[in-house]
Amino acid sequence: MVTLRALTLDDAPALTRMYSGASVRYTTGRALPLDQAQEKIRSALVRAAETPRAQWSWGILAADEMIGLIALRRRSPVMGTISYILREDTWGNGYATNAATQVVSFAFTTAGLERVEAMHHPANPASGRVLAKAGFTRTGTTDHPAADGTAVPYETYALQHRTN
């Protein structure tokens, strides 16, 4: 359904489009200008060259068009977190679920992780449904700082690798 691929600097305009409108309501709350999108990609490319690798970032493509971004971050030798964002005009098509499932498989088979965690903004229950469909279980809430300095209770999820 979707293809994941490494980011390139040519992806900056697509990233700027993703981080605009309704999509940023559940992230930073601010649009991402082109120069900041380029810097975000440069940082991802630097992290991709690190050894040992602690972060992977992929563009989410549907019909050869970049519609989202998904990342896996190693938080300990055995635990990682995923995050994702999709362009709002692509919501509701299963793209995020498909991408999350691919990244979880990568986390367990290639990155050697035993547990993957995620969280979502409480006003974005669709993201919780994505995580549940990808196999995650809700574990509770955690306070996450908002742009205005207040704490927002994000829903937390986890998925444990089954070795049986």
Side-chain angles (χ1 to χ4, degrees), residues 99-110:
T101 301
Q102 289 182 52
V103 170
V104 165
S105 177
F106 174 89
F108 293 151
T109 61
T110 305

Side-chain angles (χ1 to χ4, degrees), residues 7-9 11-44 47 57 66 68-69 73 85-88:
L7 298 174
T8 71
L9 283 174
D11 294 326
L15 200 59
T16 295
R17 186 172 174 201
M18 276 175 250
Y19 280 88
S20 65
S23 293
V24 295
R25 191 171 41 210
Y26 309 118
T27 60
T28 62
R30 296 180 310 274
L32 188 69
L34 186 60
D35 63 328
Q36 290 177 16
Q38 292 166 332
E39 185 52 39
K40 187 175 186 75
I41 292 169
R42 280 189 199 94
S43 294
R47 287 189 302 273
S57 298
M66 190 164 144
L69 175 69
R73 292 169 185 83
I85 186 169
L86 288 181
R87 257 186 9 222
E88 67 182 288

Side-chain angles (χ1 to χ4, degrees), residues 67-130:
I67 60 161
L69 175 69
I70 190 164
L72 171 67
R73 292 169 185 83
R74 184 184 304 274
R75 302 296 185 179
S76 78
V78 296
M79 193 277 286
T81 59
I82 67 166
S83 60
Y84 49 86
I85 186 169
L86 288 181
R87 257 186 9 222
E88 67 182 288
D89 64 328
T90 66
W91 294 352
N93 293 299
Y95 299 143
T97 301
N98 188 263
T101 301
Q102 289 182 52
V103 170
V104 165
S105 177
F106 174 89
F108 293 151
T109 61
T110 305
L113 300 177
E114 296 173 12
R115 180 180 174 93
V116 178
E117 297 178 356
M119 63 181 171
H120 73 83
H121 192 283
N124 186 9
S127 195
R129 290 189 295 275
V130 164

